[in-house]
Amino acid sequence: MTTNIKSITIILLAAMFTFTACKKTEYAFGTLKTPTNLAITADIAGTGANSPNGDGSGTVVITTTAKDAITYKIDFGDGTSKLVPSGSVTYKYSNPGTTDFTITINAIGTGGVISTISKKITVFVAFVIPPEIVAALTNNASRTWVTDKDAPGHVGVGANSVFTPNYYSADPNSRAACLYDDEITFTEDTNGNIFINVDNKGQSFLIAASTTFYGVNGGDNCYDINTGGVRKLSFMNATSASTPDISTRIQFLVPGNGIINFATGGNTYEILSASPTNIRLRNIGIDGNAWYQKLKAK
């Protein structure tokens, strides 16, 4: 009898163990709730009457709210996205210039259900001038330059498809006197802006193709020209096909008549090289050619 009772007990225990082992653990998300009442704000730093797209920092405070959202995935519209559980984040755009971005936000509810909202913004990001360029041009304050008249190729011209003066390269001291007395001063202010002032002693040298552009007539020569006083420069990445081994890949635009030293009818200058003692500039003239000039610190 005792043996039979033990056998039955063992059988019952084995059955209970088998039943327990086969039972699966069940999980539940609870009630699936789709986020609703989505809202988004995007406050661009420094916006105002004179800066509708911001102060140039590129900083934007993005805030999203929704009912029943447990987290948010924010696509900033520049190829970057981020999970932001709070729905609020400060983001800094880096594309220089004024650019439209579409912010897209996925509000994520329980079980991964998603609701989406988008907002288009326009952000101005100021170009950050490389500090070595600023130091070379301005000495981090002010520096004056003149034509490097003793250097071969201090003035030159070539095809705009190359980066050498393959048409003409001036011999030392071979150009008109008015080209050599100009003083070009670059100045940096406390906000990091760079200004130019060209003292041409009353006359600037003009290439023949550009004379009509400046309101005069004639060939390559010295002309009475007002260079426009102090002007704020706009810097940007070079738009030419140059490479880092032959250029700094930085260019700047001179407002007004665009004159630096001699005038070509162009106003955008690529900085091929810059040091505290020498600058090499390339400019596309009104004739479509690439013009070169070498300056030295005074």
Side-chain angles (χ1 to χ4, degrees):
M1 177 71 69
T2 303
T3 302
N4 290 337
I5 292 173
K6 287 182 178 179
S7 298
I8 293 170
T9 302
I10 292 170
I11 291 169
L12 288 173
L13 287 173
M16 290 176 62
F17 175 80
T18 301
F19 176 79
T20 303
C22 293
K23 186 177 181 180
K24 295 182 179 178
T25 303
E26 295 182 359
Y27 298 94
F29 289 110
T31 303
L32 299 183
K33 294 183 179 180
T34 301
T36 58
N37 300 331
L38 274 69
I40 177 175
T41 61
D43 296 321
I44 304 170
T47 55
N50 297 321
S51 54
N53 301 314
D55 57 10
S57 67
T59 301
V60 181
V61 177
I62 301 166
T63 303
T64 304
T65 57
K67 181 181 179 181
D68 295 324
I70 58 176
T71 190
Y72 302 86
K73 183 179 181 182
I74 302 180
D75 184 329
F76 299 100
D78 62 351
T80 303
S81 60
K82 182 178 182 180
L83 279 176
V84 181
S86 68
S88 182
V89 65
T90 298
Y91 188 72
K92 188 177 178 67
Y93 289 91
S94 59
N95 303 46
T98 301
T99 309
D100 292 334
F101 299 99
T102 299
I103 301 170
T104 301
I105 297 178
N106 289 331
I108 304 171
T110 55
V113 290
I114 292 173
S115 295
T116 302
I117 188 172
S118 296
K119 183 179 182 65
K120 182 180 178 181
I121 61 173
T122 303
V123 183
F124 167 62
V125 178
F127 182 81
V128 178
I129 310 169
E132 63 272 19
I133 297 292
V134 177
L137 294 181
T138 71
N139 194 30
N140 294 317
S142 184
R143 179 171 276 153
T144 298
W145 302 82
V146 295
T147 300
D148 192 0
K149 62 181 182 179
D150 297 320
H154 58 278
V155 173
V157 62
N160 64 15
S161 58
V162 300
F163 289 85
T164 57
N166 59 332
Y167 293 163
Y168 167 77
S169 183
D171 293 327
N173 294 290
S174 61
R175 306 303 304 175
C178 74
L179 190 89
Y180 296 150
D181 64 2
D182 292 13
E183 296 183 351
I184 302 102
T185 301
F186 293 98
T187 303
E188 180 189 15
D189 70 6
T190 55
N191 295 316
N193 300 306
I194 296 181
F195 298 82
I196 189 173
N197 182 51
V198 178
D199 180 3
N200 69 347
K201 316 301 181 185
Q203 288 194 326
S204 290
F205 187 85
L206 276 57
I207 66 169
S210 71
T211 53
T212 302
F213 176 82
Y214 296 105
V216 296
N217 292 291
D220 292 355
N221 213 333
C222 299
Y223 294 88
D224 295 338
I225 294 289
N226 183 344
T227 55
V230 177
R231 293 159 290 168
K232 181 182 176 180
L233 302 179
S234 299
F235 284 77
M236 63 206 77
N237 290 316
T239 54
S240 75
S242 65
T243 55
D245 59 321
I246 57 174
S247 171
T248 67
R249 293 291 300 149
I250 302 297
Q251 67 186 30
F252 59 86
L253 183 148
V254 181
N257 58 25
I259 294 176
I260 294 182
N261 201 7
F262 69 91
T264 69
N267 65 354
T268 302
Y269 296 80
E270 181 172 353
I271 305 171
L272 298 180
S273 64
S275 75
T277 56
N278 296 94
I279 301 173
R280 290 172 55 238
L281 301 175
R282 182 179 187 264
N283 166 260
I284 304 300
I286 201 169
D287 57 358
N289 291 321
W291 291 85
Y292 300 83
Q293 55 186 285
K294 293 181 180 180
L295 305 178
K296 66 177 181 180
K298 183 179 177 183

